[in-house]
Amino acid sequence: MLKQFGVGVAIAGSGSATPTAKLTNEQLSQVVETSDEWIQSRTGMRERRVATVEESLCSLSVQASQKAIEAAQIPKEAIDLVILATSTPDDLFGSAAKIAHQVGATHAVAFDLTAACSGFVFGMVTAAQYIRTGVYQNVLLIGADVLSRWVDWSDRSTCVLFGDGAGAVVLRADETRDRLLGFELCSDGTQNHTLTLAFQGETKPLVDEVNAKLGNYQPITMNGREVYRFAVAKVPEVISKALFRANLTASDIDWLLLHQANQRIMDAVAQRLKLPSEKVISNIAKYGNTSAASIPLALDEAVRDGKVKVGDRIAASGFGAGLTWGAVIFEWGINNG
């Protein structure tokens, strides 16, 4: 039975997990022709994590989820919905239900959501709609990707960028106020070709004139220059629109939390919004671009380091393949006492 409309959303806890193996810029220079100076000057990255054969998207997601549920101080059985934002599931049919089972969310419905590097932001907005309409009370939102599976390790323009990881948050119904203050989501399929992880197959004749197409997904391809131009132009715009919907301005924001794609993009967006570098949350040097995991991973680290505190206002924006981009303005935390 639906509760009355007007229920608010609170972001009650976070968690994250990364693979044990580190791959530094110096080590990458043994794989492709590159250098630590070249990578750092263009991206801000020093190292990234790579999933071992024992690790998987599910195992990383379960670790992050368990930490988020513990931080939110709710029983795992109280989770009503699990949303997994990912482009690299362990199973192409979806991994959310398996993760829900392994976490112990025995009463939850679960599904995957794919919006590449924007996935976590799209997932937060999706989760909020279920909560605001009273359908679900507690939602576990996971952003996770294992892009090392789909990188061409001979292509130095892409292999230096990506890493693996998972982050999660618990969103809860709040009868007193709504801490998700505003959002804006966008997409543009005409630019899909600039960043892809595409299927490529060969025709297999079956019978008469019936043919099938069999193959596999090809490694990531990206036009870095075009993606950079897109992000620097569109991200400040979408954040400004989300702030307008929240009846706020950039000066009201405590933290700018962007998809960790490139430090130069983050610096450019902050400058256009007239926000000082001290307000920009960044861990790109340690993890590189972890796609849907990057925002919740950076958020969880900032919360656990004591940087982000209950009541802080955060402007988060994801952007990437699709092309998709979006922003959400939220107030961190809830007093669990």
Side-chain angles (χ1 to χ4, degrees):
M1 181 176 180
L2 295 183
K3 290 193 172 185
Q4 64 178 3
F5 291 95
V7 177
V9 179
I11 299 87
S14 64
S16 61
T18 54
T20 54
K22 295 181 181 179
L23 182 61
T24 66
N25 292 346
E26 289 85 356
Q27 290 172 314
L28 264 177
S29 67
Q30 301 172 35
V31 179
V32 291
E33 185 179 348
T34 189
S35 68
D36 176 61
E37 189 279 330
W38 189 90
I39 298 170
Q40 281 206 57
S41 65
R42 287 161 176 78
T43 68
M45 301 172 186
R46 292 199 301 266
E47 60 188 40
R48 67 285 300 146
R49 301 295 180 92
V50 177
T52 64
V53 292
E54 293 82 16
E55 294 168 320
S56 66
L57 181 103
C58 284
S59 68
L60 294 171
S61 297
V62 168
Q63 292 175 47
S65 298
Q66 290 170 335
K67 293 175 184 177
I69 293 169
E70 180 182 356
Q73 299 181 25
I74 64 170
K76 55 184 180 293
E77 297 83 6
I79 298 294
D80 303 305
L81 171 65
V82 176
I83 299 175
L84 170 64
T86 188
S87 300
T88 55
D90 291 337
D91 183 337
L92 197 58
F93 286 155
S95 294
K98 181 178 179 180
I99 292 166
H101 164 68
Q102 293 182 343
V103 166
T106 54
H107 302 297
V109 65
F111 62 83
D112 289 29
L113 180 155
T114 301
C117 302
S118 306
F120 185 79
V121 169
F122 278 47
M124 182 176 283
V125 173
T126 301
Q129 310 316 307
Y130 286 105
I131 292 173
R132 284 173 169 168
T133 54
V135 177
Y136 298 124
Q137 299 290 298
N138 300 299
V139 180
L140 173 64
L141 170 62
I142 307 159
D145 270 304
V146 183
L147 289 173
S148 61
R149 294 170 173 170
W150 301 106
V151 167
D152 178 354
W153 292 101
S154 66
D155 178 7
R156 74 168 187 167
S157 67
T158 57
C159 76
V160 302
L161 302 176
F162 299 105
D164 304 334
V169 296
V170 173
L171 295 95
R172 289 173 47 186
D174 189 334
E175 302 286 350
T176 61
R177 57 179 303 199
D178 196 344
R179 291 174 172 83
L180 199 154
L181 308 175
F183 69 86
E184 184 79 12
L185 304 179
C186 305
S187 62
D188 180 6
T190 66
Q191 298 301 309
N192 174 265
H193 61 279
T194 60
L195 179 53
T196 64
L197 201 171
F199 176 83
Q200 185 175 6
E202 295 182 357
T203 300
K204 178 179 176 58
L206 297 179
V207 62
D208 299 328
E209 296 182 359
V210 179
N211 300 310
K213 196 170 186 180
L214 302 180
N216 204 341
Y217 288 88
Q218 302 304 295
I220 296 167
T221 63
M222 182 175 69
N223 184 325
R225 182 173 297 178
E226 289 303 313
V227 172
Y228 179 89
R229 288 176 178 170
F230 143 74
V232 171
K234 296 297 185 179
V235 174
E237 178 183 278
V238 80
I239 292 174
S240 296
K241 289 181 178 179
L243 284 168
F244 177 80
R245 293 184 182 277
N247 197 27
L248 298 170
T249 66
S251 61
D252 297 315
I253 295 303
D254 296 297
W255 301 104
L256 179 63
L257 175 56
L258 301 178
H259 164 50
Q260 309 285 295
N262 186 305
Q263 188 63 49
R264 292 193 300 164
I265 291 175
M266 291 189 278
D267 293 342
V269 172
Q271 289 172 7
R272 294 201 179 190
L273 293 171
K274 296 182 170 58
L275 289 172
S277 59
E278 309 86 67
K279 287 191 173 186
V280 179
I281 296 174
S282 174
N283 65 358
I284 194 171
K286 293 192 295 181
Y287 302 113
N289 180 344
T290 56
S291 191
S294 73
I295 290 176
L297 176 56
L299 174 63
D300 182 56
E301 283 202 342
V303 169
R304 292 178 186 270
D305 289 344
K307 182 181 289 187
V308 172
K309 298 177 173 59
V310 173
D312 282 0
R313 289 173 178 164
I314 300 171
S317 180
F319 49 92
L323 292 175
T324 59
W325 66 104
V328 61
I329 315 299
F330 63 94
E331 215 174 78
W332 169 253
I334 183 172
N335 292 319
N336 285 309

